[in-house]
Amino acid sequence: MSFALDIAQSVSGQPWRWRRSGEPGITPDALIDELLLARGVERGDLARHRLPTIRDFLPDPSCFADMDKGATRLADAVVRGEAVTIFGDYDVDGATSAALLVLLLRRLGAAPTVYIPDRLMEGYGPSGKALVELRELGAEVAVCVDCGAQAFDALDAAKAAGLDVIVVDHHQCASLLPVAHAMINPNRLDESAEGATHGHLAAVGMAFLLGVALLRELRGRGFFTPERPEPKILDLLDLVALGTVADVAKLKSLNRAFVTQGLKVMAGRENIGLAALAEAARLVKPPSCRDLGFALGPRINAGGRVGKSDLGVRLLTATDPEEARTIAAELDRLNEERRAIETLVTEQATAAGEAQADAPVIVVMGGGWHQGVIGIVAGRLKERFGRPAIVIAETEDGTGKGSGRSISGVDLGAAVLAAKDNGLLVAGGGHAMAAGLTLPAGGLEPFREFLHQRLAADIEAAREGRALLLDALLAPGGVAAALCDALDTAGPYGAGWPAPRVAAGPARLIKTAIVGNDHVRGIACGDDGKSFKWIAFRSAATPLGQALLASPPDARWWLAGTIKRDEYNGGNAAEMHLEDAAPA
Protein backbone atom coordinates (compact mmCIF):
# COMPACT_ATOMS: atom_id res chain seq x y z
CA MET A 1 0.00 0.00 0.00
CA SER A 2 1.33 3.49 -0.81
CA PHE A 3 0.78 6.58 1.34
CA ALA A 4 0.98 10.29 0.69
CA LEU A 5 4.44 10.88 2.05
CA ASP A 6 7.61 10.28 0.08
CA ILE A 7 10.54 12.33 1.34
CA ALA A 8 13.76 11.63 -0.56
CA GLN A 9 15.73 14.43 1.12
CA SER A 10 14.73 16.47 4.14
CA VAL A 11 16.23 19.76 5.29
CA SER A 12 18.68 17.64 7.28
CA GLY A 13 19.76 15.90 4.08
CA GLN A 14 18.29 12.46 4.69
CA PRO A 15 15.40 10.39 3.32
CA TRP A 16 12.39 9.43 5.41
CA ARG A 17 11.41 5.78 5.45
CA TRP A 18 8.76 3.71 7.19
CA ARG A 19 9.82 1.19 9.81
CA ARG A 20 6.88 -0.87 8.57
CA SER A 21 3.81 0.37 6.71
CA GLY A 22 3.11 3.92 7.86
CA GLU A 23 -0.59 3.24 7.46
CA PRO A 24 -2.65 6.32 8.42
CA GLY A 25 -5.78 6.00 10.55
CA ILE A 26 -4.55 2.87 12.34
CA THR A 27 -6.29 2.01 15.64
CA PRO A 28 -4.32 2.41 18.90
CA ASP A 29 -4.24 -1.35 19.59
CA ALA A 30 -3.05 -2.11 16.08
CA LEU A 31 -0.49 0.69 16.34
CA ILE A 32 0.99 -0.88 19.48
CA ASP A 33 1.42 -4.19 17.68
CA GLU A 34 2.98 -2.40 14.71
CA LEU A 35 5.45 -0.66 17.02
CA LEU A 36 6.44 -3.96 18.64
CA LEU A 37 6.79 -5.72 15.28
CA ALA A 38 8.90 -2.86 13.93
CA ARG A 39 11.27 -3.30 16.87
CA GLY A 40 11.96 -6.93 16.12
CA VAL A 41 9.26 -8.76 18.08
CA GLU A 42 7.90 -11.86 16.37
CA ARG A 43 4.14 -11.83 15.83
CA GLY A 44 3.71 -14.97 17.91
CA ASP A 45 5.55 -13.31 20.81
CA LEU A 46 3.52 -10.08 20.94
CA ALA A 47 1.60 -10.93 24.11
CA ARG A 48 4.79 -11.35 26.17
CA HIS A 49 6.18 -8.02 24.97
CA ARG A 50 3.02 -5.94 25.52
CA LEU A 51 3.65 -6.08 29.26
CA PRO A 52 7.19 -7.38 29.87
CA THR A 53 7.60 -9.10 33.24
CA ILE A 54 10.67 -10.52 34.98
CA ARG A 55 9.02 -13.95 35.12
CA ASP A 56 8.63 -14.05 31.34
CA PHE A 57 12.13 -12.88 30.46
CA LEU A 58 14.50 -13.95 33.26
CA PRO A 59 16.96 -16.63 32.09
CA ASP A 60 18.41 -19.34 34.29
CA PRO A 61 21.49 -17.57 35.72
CA SER A 62 23.41 -20.82 35.33
CA CYS A 63 23.48 -20.28 31.56
CA PHE A 64 26.29 -17.76 32.10
CA ALA A 65 29.87 -19.00 32.41
CA ASP A 66 31.20 -18.88 35.98
CA MET A 67 27.85 -17.70 37.41
CA ASP A 68 27.42 -20.77 39.61
CA LYS A 69 31.06 -20.59 40.67
CA GLY A 70 30.66 -16.94 41.68
CA ALA A 71 27.38 -17.56 43.50
CA THR A 72 28.87 -20.51 45.40
CA ARG A 73 31.87 -18.47 46.57
CA LEU A 74 29.66 -15.58 47.64
CA ALA A 75 27.35 -17.97 49.48
CA ASP A 76 30.35 -19.45 51.28
CA ALA A 77 31.31 -15.93 52.37
CA VAL A 78 27.81 -15.25 53.69
CA VAL A 79 27.64 -18.53 55.63
CA ARG A 80 31.15 -18.22 57.06
CA GLY A 81 30.87 -14.52 57.85
CA GLU A 82 33.85 -13.67 55.64
CA ALA A 83 34.73 -10.05 54.83
CA VAL A 84 33.42 -9.01 51.39
CA THR A 85 34.27 -5.82 49.49
CA ILE A 86 32.36 -4.57 46.48
CA PHE A 87 34.72 -2.80 44.05
CA GLY A 88 32.68 -0.64 41.69
CA ASP A 89 33.14 1.69 38.76
CA TYR A 90 32.43 5.37 39.35
CA ASP A 91 29.58 5.74 36.83
CA VAL A 92 25.86 5.06 37.36
CA ASP A 93 26.07 1.44 36.20
CA GLY A 94 28.91 0.82 38.63
CA ALA A 95 27.18 2.66 41.49
CA THR A 96 23.87 0.84 41.06
CA SER A 97 25.61 -2.54 40.66
CA ALA A 98 27.58 -1.99 43.85
CA ALA A 99 24.54 -0.68 45.74
CA LEU A 100 22.40 -3.66 44.69
CA LEU A 101 24.92 -6.19 46.00
CA VAL A 102 25.54 -4.21 49.19
CA LEU A 103 21.84 -4.02 50.00
CA LEU A 104 21.26 -7.71 49.21
CA LEU A 105 24.25 -8.86 51.27
CA ARG A 106 23.12 -6.72 54.20
CA ARG A 107 19.74 -8.46 54.08
CA LEU A 108 21.62 -11.76 54.26
CA GLY A 109 23.36 -10.70 57.45
CA ALA A 110 26.69 -9.71 55.88
CA ALA A 111 28.43 -6.36 56.31
CA PRO A 112 30.11 -5.65 52.96
CA THR A 113 32.37 -2.67 52.42
CA VAL A 114 32.59 -0.65 49.21
CA TYR A 115 35.57 0.68 47.26
CA ILE A 116 35.06 3.11 44.37
CA PRO A 117 38.30 4.35 42.76
CA ASP A 118 38.89 8.06 42.22
CA ARG A 119 38.46 8.89 38.52
CA LEU A 120 41.39 11.34 38.38
CA MET A 121 43.83 9.76 40.84
CA GLU A 122 43.27 6.06 40.11
CA GLY A 123 41.44 5.84 36.80
CA TYR A 124 39.08 3.15 35.58
CA GLY A 125 38.91 -0.35 37.01
CA PRO A 126 40.72 -2.25 39.73
CA SER A 127 44.44 -1.72 40.32
CA GLY A 128 46.73 -4.28 41.88
CA LYS A 129 47.64 -1.78 44.58
CA ALA A 130 44.00 -1.24 45.59
CA LEU A 131 43.12 -4.95 45.62
CA VAL A 132 46.21 -5.91 47.62
CA GLU A 133 45.44 -3.16 50.15
CA LEU A 134 41.88 -4.49 50.49
CA ARG A 135 43.29 -7.94 51.26
CA GLU A 136 45.65 -6.46 53.84
CA LEU A 137 42.68 -4.74 55.46
CA GLY A 138 40.97 -8.11 55.87
CA ALA A 139 38.87 -8.62 52.73
CA GLU A 140 38.62 -12.26 51.72
CA VAL A 141 36.34 -11.82 48.71
CA ALA A 142 36.13 -8.87 46.32
CA VAL A 143 33.35 -8.48 43.77
CA CYS A 144 34.37 -6.15 40.93
CA VAL A 145 31.26 -4.71 39.26
CA ASP A 146 31.21 -2.92 35.89
CA CYS A 147 34.97 -3.38 35.59
CA GLY A 148 37.62 -6.08 35.53
CA ALA A 149 37.25 -7.60 32.06
CA GLN A 150 40.70 -6.27 31.08
CA ALA A 151 42.34 -6.09 34.52
CA PHE A 152 45.08 -8.68 33.92
CA ASP A 153 47.83 -7.29 36.15
CA ALA A 154 45.47 -6.23 38.95
CA LEU A 155 43.81 -9.64 39.19
CA ASP A 156 47.19 -11.41 39.11
CA ALA A 157 48.24 -9.29 42.08
CA ALA A 158 44.99 -10.06 43.91
CA LYS A 159 45.44 -13.80 43.42
CA ALA A 160 49.00 -13.65 44.67
CA ALA A 161 47.76 -11.82 47.77
CA GLY A 162 45.16 -14.52 48.47
CA LEU A 163 42.09 -12.43 47.55
CA ASP A 164 39.27 -14.25 45.74
CA VAL A 165 37.89 -11.93 43.06
CA ILE A 166 34.51 -12.31 41.37
CA VAL A 167 34.20 -10.10 38.28
CA VAL A 168 30.70 -9.00 37.21
CA ASP A 169 31.15 -7.03 33.99
CA HIS A 170 29.65 -6.52 30.55
CA HIS A 171 32.47 -4.83 28.63
CA GLN A 172 34.09 -6.56 25.69
CA CYS A 173 36.63 -9.25 26.46
CA ALA A 174 39.79 -10.39 24.72
CA SER A 175 40.25 -14.04 23.79
CA LEU A 176 42.49 -14.42 26.85
CA LEU A 177 40.73 -13.64 30.13
CA PRO A 178 42.27 -12.29 33.34
CA VAL A 179 42.68 -14.81 36.15
CA ALA A 180 39.76 -14.52 38.59
CA HIS A 181 37.84 -16.83 40.86
CA ALA A 182 34.85 -16.16 38.59
CA MET A 183 34.61 -14.03 35.43
CA ILE A 184 30.88 -13.34 34.89
CA ASN A 185 30.40 -11.46 31.64
CA PRO A 186 27.89 -12.17 28.84
CA ASN A 187 30.42 -10.81 26.34
CA ARG A 188 33.07 -13.43 27.05
CA LEU A 189 34.12 -14.89 23.72
CA ASP A 190 33.62 -18.39 25.19
CA GLU A 191 30.18 -17.60 26.61
CA SER A 192 27.41 -20.16 26.12
CA ALA A 193 24.99 -19.66 23.22
CA GLU A 194 22.16 -18.70 25.59
CA GLY A 195 24.33 -16.46 27.74
CA ALA A 196 25.67 -14.62 24.69
CA THR A 197 22.13 -13.58 23.72
CA HIS A 198 22.20 -11.30 26.78
CA GLY A 199 25.29 -9.36 25.76
CA HIS A 200 23.25 -6.15 25.83
CA LEU A 201 22.76 -6.31 29.61
CA ALA A 202 24.37 -3.61 31.73
CA ALA A 203 26.57 -4.63 34.66
CA VAL A 204 23.70 -3.95 37.06
CA GLY A 205 21.59 -6.50 35.20
CA MET A 206 24.35 -9.08 35.59
CA ALA A 207 24.66 -8.15 39.28
CA PHE A 208 20.94 -8.79 39.69
CA LEU A 209 21.34 -12.23 38.07
CA LEU A 210 24.22 -12.98 40.44
CA GLY A 211 21.88 -12.03 43.29
CA VAL A 212 19.25 -14.44 41.98
CA ALA A 213 21.87 -17.20 41.74
CA LEU A 214 23.14 -16.41 45.25
CA LEU A 215 19.66 -16.68 46.78
CA ARG A 216 19.09 -19.96 44.95
CA GLU A 217 22.40 -21.36 46.24
CA LEU A 218 21.60 -20.37 49.83
CA ARG A 219 18.07 -21.72 49.50
CA GLY A 220 19.50 -25.06 48.37
CA ARG A 221 21.72 -25.16 51.46
CA GLY A 222 18.76 -24.63 53.79
CA PHE A 223 20.12 -21.26 54.87
CA PHE A 224 16.68 -19.65 55.15
CA THR A 225 14.44 -20.42 58.11
CA PRO A 226 11.26 -18.90 59.60
CA GLU A 227 13.55 -16.84 61.84
CA ARG A 228 15.80 -15.92 58.90
CA PRO A 229 13.46 -15.59 55.89
CA GLU A 230 14.67 -15.24 52.33
CA PRO A 231 15.00 -11.54 51.45
CA LYS A 232 13.20 -9.99 48.53
CA ILE A 233 15.24 -9.07 45.49
CA LEU A 234 12.57 -7.72 43.14
CA ASP A 235 12.35 -4.51 45.17
CA LEU A 236 15.93 -3.77 44.04
CA LEU A 237 14.78 -3.45 40.44
CA ASP A 238 14.68 0.34 40.82
CA LEU A 239 18.49 0.22 40.88
CA VAL A 240 18.57 -2.13 37.90
CA ALA A 241 16.35 0.21 35.90
CA LEU A 242 18.45 3.26 36.72
CA GLY A 243 21.78 1.63 35.87
CA THR A 244 20.42 0.07 32.67
CA VAL A 245 19.02 3.33 31.30
CA ALA A 246 21.94 5.50 32.40
CA ASP A 247 24.43 3.12 30.74
CA VAL A 248 22.43 3.35 27.48
CA ALA A 249 21.97 -0.42 27.36
CA LYS A 250 19.59 -1.65 24.68
CA LEU A 251 16.05 -1.79 26.07
CA LYS A 252 15.04 -5.09 24.54
CA SER A 253 13.85 -8.38 26.04
CA LEU A 254 15.13 -8.71 29.64
CA ASN A 255 16.36 -5.11 29.86
CA ARG A 256 12.92 -3.85 28.89
CA ALA A 257 11.38 -6.00 31.62
CA PHE A 258 13.97 -4.70 34.12
CA VAL A 259 13.10 -1.09 33.33
CA THR A 260 9.34 -1.60 33.12
CA GLN A 261 9.15 -3.26 36.50
CA GLY A 262 11.92 -1.13 38.01
CA LEU A 263 10.02 2.08 37.26
CA LYS A 264 7.08 0.66 39.21
CA VAL A 265 9.33 -0.01 42.20
CA MET A 266 10.85 3.45 41.93
CA ALA A 267 7.42 5.08 41.95
CA GLY A 268 6.99 3.70 45.47
CA ARG A 269 10.15 5.58 46.58
CA GLU A 270 11.25 2.70 48.82
CA ASN A 271 14.95 3.45 48.34
CA ILE A 272 15.71 6.35 50.68
CA GLY A 273 18.55 7.64 48.53
CA LEU A 274 16.60 7.57 45.28
CA ALA A 275 13.68 9.33 46.98
CA ALA A 276 16.03 12.08 48.17
CA LEU A 277 17.59 12.38 44.71
CA ALA A 278 14.17 12.65 43.05
CA GLU A 279 13.35 15.44 45.49
CA ALA A 280 16.63 17.24 44.71
CA ALA A 281 15.90 16.88 41.00
CA ARG A 282 12.44 18.36 41.59
CA LEU A 283 10.63 15.29 40.27
CA VAL A 284 7.10 15.28 41.65
CA LYS A 285 5.55 12.63 39.40
CA PRO A 286 6.52 8.96 39.22
CA PRO A 287 9.80 8.91 37.28
CA SER A 288 9.88 8.06 33.60
CA CYS A 289 12.59 6.41 31.56
CA ARG A 290 13.66 9.89 30.43
CA ASP A 291 13.96 11.01 34.06
CA LEU A 292 16.40 8.17 34.73
CA GLY A 293 18.59 9.21 31.84
CA PHE A 294 18.40 12.99 32.15
CA ALA A 295 17.59 13.82 35.79
CA LEU A 296 18.69 11.07 38.18
CA GLY A 297 21.55 9.47 36.24
CA PRO A 298 23.54 12.67 35.60
CA ARG A 299 23.36 13.64 39.27
CA ILE A 300 24.77 10.31 40.42
CA ASN A 301 27.40 10.54 37.69
CA ALA A 302 28.38 14.01 38.88
CA GLY A 303 29.98 12.55 41.99
CA GLY A 304 32.37 10.42 39.95
CA ARG A 305 32.95 13.13 37.35
CA VAL A 306 33.75 16.24 39.41
CA GLY A 307 33.33 15.26 43.07
CA LYS A 308 33.82 12.27 45.34
CA SER A 309 33.52 9.00 43.48
CA ASP A 310 31.68 7.14 46.25
CA LEU A 311 28.83 9.63 46.70
CA GLY A 312 26.51 7.69 44.39
CA VAL A 313 26.87 4.38 46.25
CA ARG A 314 26.61 6.11 49.62
CA LEU A 315 23.36 7.72 48.51
CA LEU A 316 21.84 4.53 47.08
CA THR A 317 22.68 2.50 50.21
CA ALA A 318 21.79 5.21 52.75
CA THR A 319 19.58 4.24 55.69
CA ASP A 320 19.21 7.72 57.22
CA PRO A 321 16.85 10.11 55.33
CA GLU A 322 18.71 13.19 56.54
CA GLU A 323 22.05 11.84 55.34
CA ALA A 324 20.45 10.93 52.02
CA ARG A 325 19.11 14.46 51.57
CA THR A 326 22.54 15.92 52.34
CA ILE A 327 24.26 13.68 49.77
CA ALA A 328 21.52 14.33 47.18
CA ALA A 329 21.93 18.09 47.62
CA GLU A 330 25.69 17.76 47.16
CA LEU A 331 25.21 15.71 43.99
CA ASP A 332 22.74 18.30 42.69
CA ARG A 333 25.34 21.04 43.28
CA LEU A 334 28.09 18.99 41.63
CA ASN A 335 25.83 18.39 38.64
CA GLU A 336 25.52 22.15 38.11
CA GLU A 337 29.31 22.42 38.35
CA ARG A 338 29.64 19.58 35.84
CA ARG A 339 27.35 21.40 33.40
CA ALA A 340 29.49 24.53 33.48
CA ILE A 341 32.69 22.55 32.89
CA GLU A 342 31.01 20.54 30.14
CA THR A 343 29.90 23.68 28.30
CA LEU A 344 33.44 25.08 28.21
CA VAL A 345 35.06 21.81 27.09
CA THR A 346 32.33 21.26 24.48
CA GLU A 347 33.01 24.65 22.91
CA GLN A 348 36.74 23.99 22.69
CA ALA A 349 36.37 20.39 21.48
CA THR A 350 33.80 21.38 18.85
CA ALA A 351 36.13 24.05 17.50
CA ALA A 352 38.92 21.46 17.26
CA GLY A 353 36.54 18.99 15.61
CA GLU A 354 35.54 21.41 12.84
CA ALA A 355 38.92 20.83 11.18
CA GLN A 356 38.14 17.09 11.04
CA ALA A 357 34.52 17.39 9.90
CA ASP A 358 35.15 15.13 6.88
CA ALA A 359 37.25 12.53 8.70
CA PRO A 360 35.73 9.11 9.46
CA VAL A 361 36.24 9.58 13.22
CA ILE A 362 36.52 12.83 15.15
CA VAL A 363 39.51 12.53 17.50
CA VAL A 364 40.39 15.66 19.50
CA MET A 365 42.76 16.22 22.40
CA GLY A 366 43.25 19.22 24.64
CA GLY A 367 45.13 20.23 27.75
CA GLY A 368 43.13 21.39 30.74
CA TRP A 369 40.03 19.42 29.75
CA HIS A 370 38.39 17.80 32.78
CA GLN A 371 38.45 14.02 32.49
CA GLY A 372 35.07 13.83 34.19
CA VAL A 373 33.16 15.35 31.25
CA ILE A 374 34.97 14.03 28.18
CA GLY A 375 32.48 11.19 27.68
CA ILE A 376 29.56 13.63 27.62
CA VAL A 377 31.46 15.93 25.26
CA ALA A 378 32.23 13.00 22.95
CA GLY A 379 28.49 12.38 22.77
CA ARG A 380 27.90 16.02 21.84
CA LEU A 381 30.49 15.82 19.05
CA LYS A 382 28.98 12.59 17.75
CA GLU A 383 25.61 14.35 17.48
CA ARG A 384 27.14 17.45 15.89
CA PHE A 385 29.20 15.68 13.22
CA GLY A 386 27.17 12.50 12.73
CA ARG A 387 30.16 10.18 13.18
CA PRO A 388 32.05 8.51 16.05
CA ALA A 389 33.93 10.93 18.27
CA ILE A 390 36.72 10.53 20.82
CA VAL A 391 37.67 13.29 23.23
CA ILE A 392 41.04 13.02 25.00
CA ALA A 393 42.12 15.04 28.02
CA GLU A 394 45.87 15.59 27.82
CA THR A 395 47.79 15.35 31.08
CA GLU A 396 50.94 17.18 32.12
CA ASP A 397 53.23 14.35 31.00
CA GLY A 398 51.73 14.27 27.49
CA THR A 399 49.66 11.13 27.97
CA GLY A 400 45.89 11.31 27.62
CA LYS A 401 42.70 9.88 29.07
CA GLY A 402 40.04 9.50 26.40
CA SER A 403 36.39 8.62 26.04
CA GLY A 404 34.48 7.87 22.85
CA ARG A 405 30.92 7.55 21.61
CA SER A 406 29.87 5.78 18.42
CA ILE A 407 27.03 5.70 15.91
CA SER A 408 24.81 2.73 15.17
CA GLY A 409 26.56 0.10 13.09
CA VAL A 410 30.12 1.05 14.14
CA ASP A 411 31.72 -0.97 16.96
CA LEU A 412 34.00 1.53 18.65
CA GLY A 413 34.82 -0.67 21.64
CA ALA A 414 36.24 -3.42 19.42
CA ALA A 415 38.33 -0.86 17.52
CA VAL A 416 39.79 0.59 20.71
CA LEU A 417 40.57 -2.90 22.02
CA ALA A 418 42.30 -3.69 18.71
CA ALA A 419 44.34 -0.47 18.99
CA LYS A 420 45.45 -1.56 22.45
CA ASP A 421 46.39 -5.02 21.16
CA ASN A 422 48.46 -3.30 18.43
CA GLY A 423 50.44 -1.37 21.02
CA LEU A 424 48.90 2.03 20.26
CA LEU A 425 47.25 2.45 23.68
CA VAL A 426 48.34 1.91 27.25
CA ALA A 427 44.82 0.73 28.09
CA GLY A 428 41.47 0.64 26.40
CA GLY A 429 38.17 -1.14 25.96
CA GLY A 430 34.43 -0.71 26.06
CA HIS A 431 31.45 -1.81 24.05
CA ALA A 432 29.95 -1.05 20.65
CA MET A 433 28.64 2.43 21.41
CA ALA A 434 31.19 3.69 23.97
CA ALA A 435 34.84 3.22 24.85
CA GLY A 436 37.53 4.50 27.19
CA LEU A 437 41.27 4.63 26.67
CA THR A 438 44.68 5.77 27.88
CA LEU A 439 46.91 7.26 25.17
CA PRO A 440 50.73 7.27 25.43
CA ALA A 441 52.64 10.51 24.97
CA GLY A 442 53.01 11.30 21.28
CA GLY A 443 50.52 8.63 20.31
CA LEU A 444 47.67 10.77 18.98
CA GLU A 445 48.38 10.62 15.24
CA PRO A 446 49.15 6.88 15.03
CA PHE A 447 45.98 6.14 17.01
CA ARG A 448 43.87 8.45 14.86
CA GLU A 449 45.23 6.91 11.64
CA PHE A 450 44.56 3.39 12.97
CA LEU A 451 40.93 4.26 13.68
CA HIS A 452 40.46 5.87 10.27
CA GLN A 453 41.79 2.82 8.46
CA ARG A 454 39.87 0.32 10.58
CA LEU A 455 36.51 2.09 10.72
CA ALA A 456 36.26 4.17 7.52
CA ALA A 457 34.30 1.54 5.57
CA ASP A 458 31.90 0.81 8.44
CA ILE A 459 31.27 4.51 9.03
CA GLU A 460 30.66 5.20 5.35
CA ALA A 461 28.18 2.32 5.18
CA ALA A 462 26.43 3.48 8.33
CA ARG A 463 26.14 7.06 7.10
CA GLU A 464 24.99 6.06 3.60
CA GLY A 465 22.30 3.92 5.15
CA ARG A 466 21.17 6.82 7.33
CA ALA A 467 17.47 7.56 7.15
CA LEU A 468 14.81 8.95 9.46
CA LEU A 469 12.60 5.99 10.32
CA LEU A 470 8.91 6.75 10.87
CA ASP A 471 6.19 4.77 12.62
CA ALA A 472 3.02 6.71 11.82
CA LEU A 473 1.55 9.51 9.71
CA LEU A 474 -0.72 12.07 11.40
CA ALA A 475 -2.82 15.06 10.59
CA PRO A 476 -1.89 17.95 12.92
CA GLY A 477 -4.97 17.21 15.03
CA GLY A 478 -3.55 13.76 15.77
CA VAL A 479 -0.78 15.24 17.91
CA ALA A 480 -2.70 14.83 21.17
CA ALA A 481 -2.33 13.53 24.73
CA ALA A 482 -4.47 10.49 23.91
CA LEU A 483 -1.82 9.41 21.41
CA CYS A 484 0.88 9.78 24.08
CA ASP A 485 -1.04 7.37 26.31
CA ALA A 486 -1.33 4.82 23.50
CA LEU A 487 2.34 5.07 22.58
CA ASP A 488 3.42 4.65 26.21
CA THR A 489 1.97 1.14 26.12
CA ALA A 490 4.79 -0.04 23.84
CA GLY A 491 7.47 1.56 26.05
CA PRO A 492 9.65 2.14 27.89
CA TYR A 493 11.76 3.58 25.09
CA GLY A 494 15.48 4.14 24.93
CA ALA A 495 18.59 2.71 23.30
CA GLY A 496 17.75 -0.18 20.99
CA TRP A 497 14.02 0.41 21.49
CA PRO A 498 13.47 3.81 19.88
CA ALA A 499 10.57 6.04 20.80
CA PRO A 500 7.91 6.10 18.08
CA ARG A 501 8.63 8.76 15.50
CA VAL A 502 5.72 10.26 13.60
CA ALA A 503 5.30 12.63 10.68
CA ALA A 504 2.59 15.28 10.93
CA GLY A 505 1.33 17.82 8.42
CA PRO A 506 1.01 19.53 6.09
CA ALA A 507 1.28 22.57 8.34
CA ARG A 508 2.32 26.22 8.35
CA LEU A 509 4.70 27.50 11.01
CA ILE A 510 3.93 30.47 13.24
CA LYS A 511 5.59 32.08 16.27
CA THR A 512 8.90 30.42 15.44
CA ALA A 513 11.69 31.66 17.71
CA ILE A 514 14.90 30.72 19.49
CA VAL A 515 14.40 29.90 23.17
CA GLY A 516 16.71 28.76 25.95
CA ASN A 517 20.04 27.23 24.95
CA ASP A 518 19.75 27.42 21.14
CA HIS A 519 16.41 25.59 20.99
CA VAL A 520 13.89 26.53 18.28
CA ARG A 521 10.21 26.52 19.22
CA GLY A 522 6.99 27.25 17.33
CA ILE A 523 3.42 26.27 16.49
CA ALA A 524 2.32 24.18 13.49
CA CYS A 525 -1.08 25.03 11.99
CA GLY A 526 -2.60 22.32 9.83
CA ASP A 527 -5.03 22.23 6.93
CA ASP A 528 -7.43 20.44 9.28
CA GLY A 529 -7.72 23.61 11.37
CA LYS A 530 -5.83 22.04 14.26
CA SER A 531 -2.45 23.09 15.62
CA PHE A 532 0.27 21.77 17.90
CA LYS A 533 3.40 23.07 19.59
CA TRP A 534 6.82 21.82 18.63
CA ILE A 535 10.40 22.31 19.78
CA ALA A 536 13.72 21.37 18.11
CA PHE A 537 16.42 21.10 20.78
CA ARG A 538 19.89 22.59 20.21
CA SER A 539 19.00 23.27 16.58
CA ALA A 540 19.39 27.04 16.13
CA ALA A 541 22.73 26.71 14.32
CA THR A 542 21.81 23.56 12.34
CA PRO A 543 20.28 23.32 8.86
CA LEU A 544 17.01 22.24 10.49
CA GLY A 545 16.86 25.21 12.85
CA GLN A 546 17.84 27.68 10.15
CA ALA A 547 15.16 26.37 7.77
CA LEU A 548 12.48 26.59 10.44
CA LEU A 549 13.45 30.13 11.44
CA ALA A 550 13.51 31.31 7.81
CA SER A 551 10.20 29.69 6.80
CA PRO A 552 7.82 32.09 4.94
CA PRO A 553 4.34 32.43 6.49
CA ASP A 554 2.64 30.55 3.63
CA ALA A 555 5.14 27.67 3.41
CA ARG A 556 3.72 24.23 4.25
CA TRP A 557 5.79 21.56 5.98
CA TRP A 558 5.89 17.95 7.03
CA LEU A 559 7.33 17.75 10.53
CA ALA A 560 8.85 14.59 12.03
CA GLY A 561 9.66 13.76 15.63
CA THR A 562 8.39 12.19 18.82
CA ILE A 563 5.17 13.11 20.60
CA LYS A 564 5.44 14.06 24.27
CA ARG A 565 3.13 15.52 26.86
CA ASP A 566 3.74 19.25 27.37
CA GLU A 567 4.96 18.76 30.93
CA TYR A 568 6.46 22.24 31.14
CA ASN A 569 3.06 23.91 30.90
CA GLY A 570 1.12 21.03 32.44
CA GLY A 571 -2.42 20.23 31.43
CA ASN A 572 -3.44 17.63 28.89
CA ALA A 573 -1.67 19.01 25.82
CA ALA A 574 0.94 17.29 23.67
CA GLU A 575 3.83 18.66 21.66
CA MET A 576 6.30 17.35 19.10
CA HIS A 577 10.00 17.10 19.86
CA LEU A 578 11.10 17.89 16.33
CA GLU A 579 13.93 15.98 14.67
CA ASP A 580 13.50 16.86 11.01
CA ALA A 581 11.32 18.68 8.50
CA ALA A 582 10.60 18.62 4.78
CA PRO A 583 8.63 20.93 2.47
CA ALA A 584 5.12 19.66 1.81
Side-chain angles (χ1 to χ4, degrees), residues 189-506:
L189 297 183
D190 62 347
E191 182 57 89
S192 69
E194 183 179 356
T197 64
H198 297 283
H200 58 288
L201 294 183
V204 70
M206 295 304 297
F208 180 85
L209 290 169
L210 175 60
V212 172
L214 171 61
L215 293 180
R216 182 177 62 184
E217 174 67 20
L218 290 171
R219 190 184 312 126
R221 298 186 187 190
F223 181 78
F224 302 117
T225 65
E227 294 76 26
R228 187 171 59 195
E230 181 173 337
K232 294 187 296 183
I233 192 171
L234 291 180
D235 62 355
L236 298 176
L237 285 172
D238 48 3
L239 298 174
V240 182
L242 176 57
T244 297
V245 172
D247 214 51
V248 201
K250 291 183 178 180
L251 297 191
K252 62 179 185 179
S253 59
L254 179 57
N255 273 347
R256 191 160 160 261
F258 278 153
V259 176
T260 298
Q261 303 305 322
L263 285 170
K264 294 178 182 178
V265 174
M266 198 177 294
R269 300 207 172 189
E270 295 182 24
N271 183 291
I272 292 172
L274 279 178
L277 192 65
E279 182 179 331
R282 294 163 286 284
L283 297 179
V284 295
K285 297 180 179 179
S288 65
C289 199
R290 179 178 176 80
D291 292 330
L292 304 192
F294 291 93
L296 302 181
R299 284 171 169 80
I300 290 179
N301 257 336
R305 293 188 186 281
V306 297
K308 297 178 181 177
S309 60
D310 66 346
L311 283 176
V313 177
R314 285 173 53 199
L315 176 74
L316 297 175
T317 58
T319 56
D320 176 43
E322 188 58 38
E323 179 192 15
R325 282 191 287 270
T326 300
I327 297 174
E330 175 67 1
L331 287 172
D332 190 52
R333 184 192 66 78
L334 289 170
N335 191 50
E336 291 301 317
E337 181 181 330
R338 185 271 307 168
R339 285 178 175 171
I341 296 171
E342 175 197 331
T343 298
L344 178 62
V345 177
T346 298
E347 291 175 355
Q348 296 174 353
T350 300
E354 293 289 355
Q356 306 174 39
D358 295 327
V361 186
I362 305 295
V363 184
V364 297
M365 183 164 76
W369 292 354
H370 197 296
Q371 294 178 27
V373 302
I374 54 176
I376 303 174
V377 175
R380 299 277 187 239
L381 266 60
K382 180 200 74 172
E383 295 172 5
R384 173 69 177 265
F385 298 106
R387 61 196 70 225
I390 294 177
V391 178
I392 303 170
E394 186 176 11
T395 59
E396 292 181 358
D397 62 1
T399 62
K401 294 287 187 178
S403 186
R405 298 294 183 268
S406 194
I407 60 176
S408 181
V410 179
D411 192 335
L412 186 60
V416 167
L417 191 58
K420 173 177 171 284
D421 291 341
N422 278 270
L424 298 175
L425 297 174
V426 176
H431 45 80
M433 299 300 288
L437 58 94
T438 302
L439 186 75
L444 178 61
E445 289 307 321
F447 174 57
R448 179 186 281 143
E449 184 59 32
F450 176 86
L451 288 181
H452 289 173
Q453 291 182 2
R454 181 181 174 93
L455 296 177
D458 289 345
I459 293 167
E460 182 179 1
R463 286 175 58 81
E464 285 182 354
R466 186 174 67 113
L468 194 75
L469 300 180
L470 302 173
D471 290 290
L473 177 62
L474 306 174
V479 180
L483 178 63
C484 294
D485 295 338
L487 296 178
D488 285 347
T489 306
Y493 302 105
W497 197 268
R501 187 182 291 118
V502 305

